[in-house]
Amino acid sequence: MKKDYMTRLEGWARWMLPPQEAEDVIADYRDIVADDELRRGLGKPREVIAPLTTKKAYRVWLAVFAVMAACILIPADSPLPLGLYPVWYTLFSPDGFIIPGVPMFLWFMITGLALSLIWFRPRRGEGKAPLPRSILIVLAVLLAVMGLIWWTFWQITLYPDGALANPVFLLPYGFWWPLADIYVGGNLLSFLLEWSAVPLAVVGMTGLVKARVRDRRWRAVYFLSLSVMMLAFAVLALLTSMTVSAEPLDTWRLCIEITVIGLIGTGVSLC
């Protein structure tokens, strides 16, 4: 009971207070929670922390969090039943440029990366703690998904007939597979690429929250999730449009840009 209460109190303290203040409050309340009589006089963890917050600082944090969340949730909203379907299309459309020549996906990626690096920057005097294993596991899975999307794109551009006829396994053209006779075109591929945004958004938001309440290096999970989502949408644009990234060479350039920015940003986020 004590451990559960303290865990929740730590979470709320780190969510609602600036990092150093949160650690000071947590240190103070450990002794209080350890005493059964004193702990009984405490309210719910959120009620304990709320009076200690500075409203202005907390509102600034919520505003920054909202912008970072929007960078990954707005594109991910596209495939949902009530979603804004054209959003992912606009990411790569010339008509969607805020500034001519700068595609929309760059604004989402750069804004998310810049804010996460600035907000979750190392505190003064903070030591270099070992990287949590959970972060490495999640990043490894995301990198595997990124590799799978690249494999899909490679098959589409080099072996279009084989890839579209066998979109589940994406075997090279001419490779025998019993299900290859069931031609489903690019519909299944488009569905998988489009709906991959939903789990990627969930993983990314988890990383964003944990960067605040656990370890700031969870920001790497947030940014890599965003990058993988943009990569999936770049390939999706090639599959579903005759005008947006219709040329494979253009899509190669977009995919390389997204991958390079994603990997470099993820590496910096782990520092």
Side-chain angles (χ1 to χ4, degrees):
M1 183 67 180
K2 295 178 183 178
K3 183 177 180 181
D4 180 65
Y5 184 91
M6 194 63 209
T7 298
R8 288 184 289 130
L9 189 141
E10 288 178 7
W12 280 112
R14 290 177 177 140
W15 178 259
M16 301 182 74
L17 300 172
Q20 189 55 56
E21 289 183 27
E23 296 307 317
D24 293 341
V25 169
I26 290 169
D28 292 339
Y29 272 91
R30 280 202 180 99
D31 294 334
I32 297 175
V33 172
D35 188 305
D36 289 336
E37 292 187 7
L38 292 176
R39 183 174 59 81
R40 291 192 190 97
L42 297 176
K44 296 179 180 179
R46 189 181 186 283
E47 296 173 350
V48 171
I49 300 301
L52 304 177
T53 61
T54 302
K55 290 184 177 180
K56 182 178 179 180
Y58 185 49
R59 287 171 181 168
V60 170
W61 153 241
L62 291 180
V64 173
F65 175 78
V67 174
M68 289 189 289
C71 288
I72 195 169
L73 291 180
I74 290 177
D77 180 59
S78 298
L80 299 179
L82 299 178
L84 305 173
Y85 182 80
V87 170
W88 73 262
Y89 179 93
T90 307
L91 293 172
F92 301 93
S93 171
D95 298 331
F97 290 177
I98 297 177
I99 297 178
V102 182
M104 282 287 289
F105 78 85
L106 275 179
W107 290 107
F108 282 87
M109 293 183 70
I110 291 174
T111 301
L113 176 62
L115 284 178
S116 63
L117 290 178
I118 293 172
W119 193 264
F120 300 120
R121 62 187 180 274
R123 300 193 303 272
R124 183 177 299 177
E126 178 182 351
K128 187 69 173 180
L131 190 65
R133 186 180 178 186
S134 53
I135 295 179
L136 294 176
I137 293 173
V138 177
L139 290 178
V141 172
L142 290 172
L143 288 173
V145 174
M146 177 179 278
L148 183 59
I149 294 173
W150 264 104
W151 173 255
T152 302
F153 177 50
W154 182 70
Q155 292 296 309
I156 291 171
T157 54
L158 297 185
Y159 308 103
D161 295 336
L164 294 179
N166 184 21
V168 177
F169 294 91
L170 298 173
L171 299 174
Y173 181 70
F175 195 100
W176 181 83
W177 182 258
L179 297 180
D181 293 334
I182 304 176
Y183 183 81
V184 294
N187 291 336
L188 182 55
L189 278 178
S190 299
F191 177 85
L192 292 174
L193 288 169
E194 189 173 352
W195 279 87
S196 67
V198 176
L200 286 170
V202 172
V203 174
M205 287 300 299
T206 300
L208 185 57
V209 172
K210 288 197 172 192
R212 174 74 173 188
V213 302
R214 295 295 180 191
D215 189 306
R216 62 181 177 78
R217 289 169 294 184
W218 275 97
R219 63 189 180 180
V221 170
Y222 160 75
F223 185 66
L224 188 57
S225 299
L226 175 59
S227 303
V228 175
M229 183 188 299
M230 294 302 170
L231 182 63
F233 284 156
V235 178
L236 181 63
L238 176 66
L239 268 177
T240 60
S241 176
M242 296 300 293
T243 57
V244 182
S245 298
E247 293 294 331
L249 287 178
D250 291 340
T251 308
W252 275 101
R253 177 180 56 79
L254 287 173
C255 289
I256 291 172
E257 288 177 357
I258 293 169
T259 303
V260 170
I261 294 172
L263 293 179
I264 292 177
T266 300
V268 173
S269 297
L270 289 173
C271 297

